[in-house]
Amino acid sequence: MTAVIIDGKQQAAQIRELLAAEISASRIKPVLAVIQVGDNPASQVYVRNKHKAATEIGMDCRVFHLPETADEVMLSELIANLNNDCDVNGIIVQLPLPKHLNELRILSQIAYYKDVDGFSPYNAGLLQMNNSDAVVAATPQGVVELLNASLGSLTGKHVVIIGRSNIVGRPLADLLLNQNCTVTVAHSKTVNLPELARQADILVVACGCPRLVRQDWVKPGAAVIDVGINREDGKLVGDVDFEAVKNVAGFITPVPGGVGPMTVAMLLKNTWQACLKQHSQS
Ligand code: NDP
């Protein structure tokens, strides 16, 4: 068997095109504020990509680049100003922050309706309660979009997620539970992970371990979604041994070109939706 390759790049391009058309048909120019602290090289690339993608669909993307030494007061002041700025519809803080800054305290200061990354405790709580007002984190939302497009209804599927981070594993578990899946979340202390993974109808891997998942970890015909982005000898590789696993899986995402492009598209979608909501309430 050779798996169907799920083309995240193409699906993301379609979403961006749709957003561009909606924005150009409206009289509104959505504004996304991106806060970057320090010069983490991976963050530089991510911020550049978000800026480019936003600009291409007619969104105004304003990058606020603070020095590595910025303290919490500086950051809090900037967030408060952006919260109060009616022109700004979405605010994101590029993670990771330098070690001296308290991530949770900072993310909690973003007005929940401008929190287009969905990382604040308020939006995470709404998602957990299956409340439709939740702004859902972009990467898990992208994973679910890819699954829905390939498999249709996910009701009754057993999903195993490898990884329990606040930005991928946990919100994804909530989203899939809300789609009537049976969800198992695995992590670094999980016992007998290969056997558990083999029980999955859908296996999502987000652990940051290059090629951890091998062919014999996958049930024949299962859908395998690889969230991992690892750099090896200047090349990007996922958390799944793609070349081997594609011979047994029914569906599989590549790295690059799978979940990554969907993350950016979902961030733009969240920003546009936040913008429309704010305009309808003003
Ligand atoms: P974190 O480091 O925050 O979390 C990793 C999770 O994986 C933890 O829960 C950890 O367990 C678990 N884990 C680590 N090693 C193993 C192992 N050997 N077996 C089982 N579980 C393990 O990572 P993120 O969630 O932020 O990111 C995960 C990956 O996804 C990274 O490669 C990252 O670059 C990528 N990523 C990709 C995105 C995209 O757009 N495609 C967006 C965000 C992330 P424990 O909790 O016990 O420590």
Side-chain angles (χ1 to χ4, degrees), residues 112-124:
Y112 69 93
Y113 51 89
K114 294 191 180 186
D115 167 35
V116 289
D117 258 342
F119 292 163
S120 70
Y122 187 84
N123 277 312

Side-chain angles (χ1 to χ4, degrees), residues 107-236:
L107 294 175
S108 306
Q109 292 170 30
I110 301 173
Y112 69 93
Y113 51 89
K114 294 191 180 186
D115 167 35
V116 289
D117 258 342
F119 292 163
S120 70
Y122 187 84
N123 277 312
L126 286 181
L127 172 63
Q128 202 165 46
M129 293 172 175
N130 196 9
N131 184 303
S132 59
D133 284 339
V135 180
V136 179
T139 302
Q141 206 185 142
V143 168
V144 171
E145 289 267 335
L146 290 176
L147 285 170
N148 284 147
S150 295
L151 306 183
S153 166
L154 305 180
T155 293
K157 303 279 186 205
H158 180 207
V159 186
V160 173
I161 302 170
I162 305 181
R164 57 175 165 182
S165 71
N166 290 336
I167 63 168
V168 187
R170 285 172 199 268
L172 181 60
D174 290 332
L175 266 181
L176 291 168
L177 198 57
N178 296 345
Q179 292 225 353
N180 301 317
C181 295
T182 303
V183 183
T184 304
V185 182
H187 45 79
S188 67
K189 309 291 187 290
T190 296
V191 177
N192 213 348
L193 184 54
E195 192 184 303
L196 190 66
R198 260 193 306 275
Q199 294 171 27
D201 303 314
I202 298 169
L203 180 62
V204 185
V205 196
C207 61
C209 306
R211 286 186 280 265
L212 177 79
V213 172
R214 299 198 305 257
Q215 186 168 344
D216 61 346
W217 289 38
V218 175
K219 177 162 85 176
V224 178
I225 307 291
D226 189 353
V227 181
I229 300 179
N230 310 286
R231 284 178 178 79
E232 252 187 15
D233 307 324
K235 261 185 65 183
L236 290 187

Side-chain angles (χ1 to χ4, degrees), residues 40 61 66 84-85 143 150 186 193 204 237 248 272:
N40 177 312
C61 182
L66 303 185
N84 292 329
D85 185 341
V143 168
S150 295
L193 184 54
V204 185
V237 296
V248 60
W272 177 232

